[in-house]
Amino acid sequence: MKSLEILTDEDKQTLEVARISLDEQGKEGKKKLYIESYGCQMNFSDSEIVTSILQENGYATTSLAAEADVILLNTCAIRENAEQKVRHRLTQFTHLKKKKPQMVVGVLGCMAERLKTKFLEEEKIVDVVAGPDAYRDLPNLFNEVDEGQKAINVFLSRDETYADITPVRLHSNGVTAFVSIMRGCDNMCSFCVVPYTRGRERSRDVYSILKECQDLLNEGFREVTLLGQNVDSYKWESEDGSEKVNFAQLLERVALVSPELRVRFSTSHPKDITDEVLYTMKKYENICKYIHLPAQSGNSRILKLMNRTYDRDWYINRIDAIREILGEECAISQDLITGFCTETEEEHQDTLSLMEYVKYDYGYMFAYSERPGTPAAKKLEDDIPEDVKLRRLNEVIAVQRRLSLARNEMAIGQVHKVLVEGFSKRSEDFLCGRNDQNKMVIFPKENYKKGEYVQVLVTECTSGTLLGKAVN
Ligand code: SAH
Ligand code: SF4
Ligand code: F3S
């Protein structure tokens, strides 16, 4: 899943817009909630659920931490540096809390789940710790704090999907939205903390997903991204067992909500992505031709140590199927880890050669960070020196940059359908939006508006962006 640890300028612009709308929600006499999110899209989506639960309980959102009665950090534990960021942020809030001792500071999400009571011991300013399945309990937890105690709920559930909760769209551009379709993860990739922080995999009721998509369309949204750690294993069954829905079928039903509503999804797992999903993508014009297919490594021995349950040949077979069914135009992105335990130079070269084979459009690349309690931490030695991990990371990034540029250059001279998300970050004379392949396209505004589909002739590109001109 795409990591949102780094805010781009584009994101910051949306944040600015969101700040204004957030403050408008602040009503007199209500307690004020300030919430910040780290980590993956799932966490950002969860913050929208948390906000909804708390609004129902009389809280109003604010964009200013200093004026908040409750500060919540929705945290990520995926890598060591993600956790450091949160600790650093908490120290910044210490000053606020000194000035306003009745202010409640809560830690939510994956780091809360991982550290549990340790958080309360280590970070004295934290009053509340709530794991990803405990958000309905937040009002009670705040009450406990009001009574002078620290409060914690880190129970993981087998069935909580928050299906009935309508998320409050935070930092929204009003055009694109995330829709959570499942929670947890049953894969046991040896490096990964997620199965421990988010619990068992469970799928959300198909009707609640369809309703949320329909409501979004009615509110003017034009794109939904279906979210899960492994969307291909989505599996829902009605209570009487008469109706069963897999991911390809869910995708089809969401696509049928309206041809005006674009559908994206993330994350696909190489072991589970089926030809049925690929044919469904081909069948519907509004299902975007873009697949995020994390490889993690291009070497079969390392993939086995990672417990990814596929090898290099299997991964290549899936790439070949994508190319065969959806063609060269389908964008593919990756997640890769460099310097996993015992990785040799040769095995690292296999990752580079896999990248050349696939010709990824872009990717998210990380140096291996050992996470306490994971199978890798228990059984394998984190033996690749930091400088080697980083050198390999830089090599992977350099290859990706070249591939991204080459893939983007293929678009020059073509006309792409772009869904306008807002002004470009540099100037209000330009609009920006994504094409089918999830690439940002910038073009002169003329009379086009946010939320419209515009045909754009691509004339130039960088490794990150396409530039062009509307030809409607
Ligand atoms: N469910 C998604 C991944 C979610 S985590 C999937 O299976 O693809 C997002 C990415 O973070 C992973 O794909 C992996 O590349 C990276 N990651 C996870 N644990 C890591 C670790 N311990 N060190 C470095 N990167 C890690
Ligand atoms: Fe982690 Fe693997 Fe699950 Fe992804 S599929 S969340 S990497 S355990
Ligand atoms: Fe997401 Fe980070 Fe948790 S990537 S699932 S918020 S550990």
Side-chain angles (χ1 to χ4, degrees), residues 356-372:
E356 301 285 356
Y357 182 87
V358 180
K359 300 188 180 65
Y360 291 108
D361 290 76
Y362 39 90
Y364 306 91
M365 294 146 283
F366 314 98
Y368 174 56
S369 161
E370 186 180 78
R371 308 310 294 130

Side-chain angles (χ1 to χ4, degrees), residues 1 5 38-43 75-78 109-111 193-194 197-198 229:
M1 181 161 302
E5 278 162 31
Y38 296 82
C40 62
Q41 291 159 335
M42 200 68 128
N43 245 18
T75 63
C76 174
I78 202 82
C110 292
M111 197 178 166
V193 79
V194 173
T197 62
R198 296 211 155 238
Q229 291 299 351

Side-chain angles (χ1 to χ4, degrees), residues 89 143 470:
R89 195 68 179 124
N143 287 341

Side-chain angles (χ1 to χ4, degrees), residues 1 78 184-196 198 201 228-230 267-272 294 296 306-308 335 337:
M1 181 161 302
I78 202 82
C185 183
D186 279 353
N187 295 310
M188 279 286 169
C189 303
S190 63
F191 52 80
C192 184
V193 79
V194 173
Y196 307 93
R198 296 211 155 238
E201 180 183 290
Q229 291 299 351
N230 176 2
T267 300
S268 304
H269 196 297
K271 91 172 147 61
D272 296 320
Q296 314 301 0
M306 287 176 162
N307 196 29
R308 286 290 286 183
D335 286 351
I337 297 177

